């Protein structure tokens, strides 16, 4: 990946084109080259509980790696801890990189994705692997909470 974590690099034209089409936005709306290059490398990676590599990754592992490699932020590895490092936000206030949590199988905050833009998230689906889906698609009935990562909460969690 080009640039350093936290650095905003212009996306490659083909990557900007690909993801603007998937999310129904103008190509110019794809600004964060590091984010979309990261997604491009991981898209289609199978789901594997506890996984952290291209052989398989789980939802919290994907969020953990994305935040670290794209934004330079180290969040806890597990979903149950990731929920503690966000400042809750309303859906309409979500920004790129915010965490979005879901309750699957009646378990609170058992799944996490990362907000992109225009109502889309990237997550590691247990059946389809790493995919981009609309938040208001089939997954929405499980939506629980979302918010921005707060650095002060992260450092308190990791100390």
């Amino acid at each position: 990946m080009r640039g350093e974590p936290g650095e905003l690099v212009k996306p490659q034209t083909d990557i900007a084109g690909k993801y603007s089409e998937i999310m129904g936005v103008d190509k110019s709306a794809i600004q964060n080259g590091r984010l979309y290059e990261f997604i491009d490398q991981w898209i289609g990676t199978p789901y594997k509980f506890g996984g952290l590599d291209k052989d398989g990754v789980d939802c919290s592992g994907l969020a953990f790696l994305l935040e670290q490699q794209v934004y330079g932020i180290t969040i806890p590895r597990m979903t149950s801890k990731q929920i503690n490092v966000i400042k809750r936000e309303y859906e309409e206030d979500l920004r790129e990189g915010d965490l979005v949590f879901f309750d699957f199988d009646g378990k609170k905050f058992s799944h996490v994705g990362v907000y992109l833009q225009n109502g889309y998230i990237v997550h590691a689906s247990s059946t389809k692997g790493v995919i981009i889906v609309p938040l208001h698609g089939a997954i929405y009935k499980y939506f629980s909470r979302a918010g921005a990562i707060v650095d002060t909460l992260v450092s308190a969690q990791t100390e």
Side-chain angles (χ1 to χ4, degrees), residues 1-12 27-38 66-72 95-97 116-117:
M1 246 184 330
R2 299 169 304 132
E4 294 296 316
E7 187 182 338
L8 193 63
V9 297
K10 203 171 168 293
Q12 294 166 337
K27 219 173 179 173
S28 64
I30 306 294
Q31 298 276 317
N32 191 338
R34 283 188 68 79
L35 173 63
Y36 292 98
E37 284 174 31
F38 176 91
L66 186 152
E67 295 297 340
Q68 194 173 53
Q69 294 176 24
V70 175
Y71 300 106
R95 290 185 318 274
E96 176 190 287
L116 298 174
Q117 59 175 298

Side-chain angles (χ1 to χ4, degrees), residues 8-150:
L8 193 63
V9 297
K10 203 171 168 293
Q12 294 166 337
T13 310
D14 57 332
I15 285 183
K18 179 178 179 179
Y19 293 99
S20 67
E21 215 168 283
I22 290 171
M23 296 185 297
V25 296
D26 193 81
K27 219 173 179 173
S28 64
I30 306 294
Q31 298 276 317
N32 191 338
R34 283 188 68 79
L35 173 63
Y36 292 98
E37 284 174 31
F38 176 91
I39 291 168
D40 210 54
Q41 289 170 8
W42 284 88
I43 207 100
T45 300
Y47 180 89
K48 181 171 144 198
F49 183 76
L52 265 181
D53 58 34
K54 300 288 173 35
D55 292 333
V57 67
D58 63 14
C59 62
S60 59
L62 181 72
F64 171 80
L65 291 168
L66 186 152
E67 295 297 340
Q68 194 173 53
Q69 294 176 24
V70 175
Y71 300 106
I73 300 168
T74 301
I75 62 172
R77 168 66 179 89
M78 292 166 45
T79 310
S80 58
K81 300 264 194 291
Q82 290 173 349
I83 189 69
N84 298 322
V85 299
I86 65 161
K87 178 183 179 287
R88 198 170 184 171
E89 287 181 348
Y90 294 110
E91 279 177 62
E92 59 270 15
D93 297 329
L94 289 176
R95 290 185 318 274
E96 176 190 287
D98 288 352
L99 298 180
V100 183
F101 293 89
F102 303 89
D103 299 344
F104 282 142
D105 303 323
K107 294 189 207 98
K108 272 207 115 16
F109 316 128
S110 57
H111 187 70
V112 65
V114 179
Y115 188 80
L116 298 174
Q117 59 175 298
N118 198 30
Y120 281 82
I121 65 165
V122 63
H123 75 115
S125 157
S126 58
T127 54
K128 296 181 179 140
V130 178
I131 53 170
I132 292 175
V133 296
L135 178 57
H136 281 273
I139 199 170
Y140 191 69
K141 64 182 170 195
Y142 304 103
F143 175 76
S144 178
R145 184 176 294 178
I149 296 167
V150 180

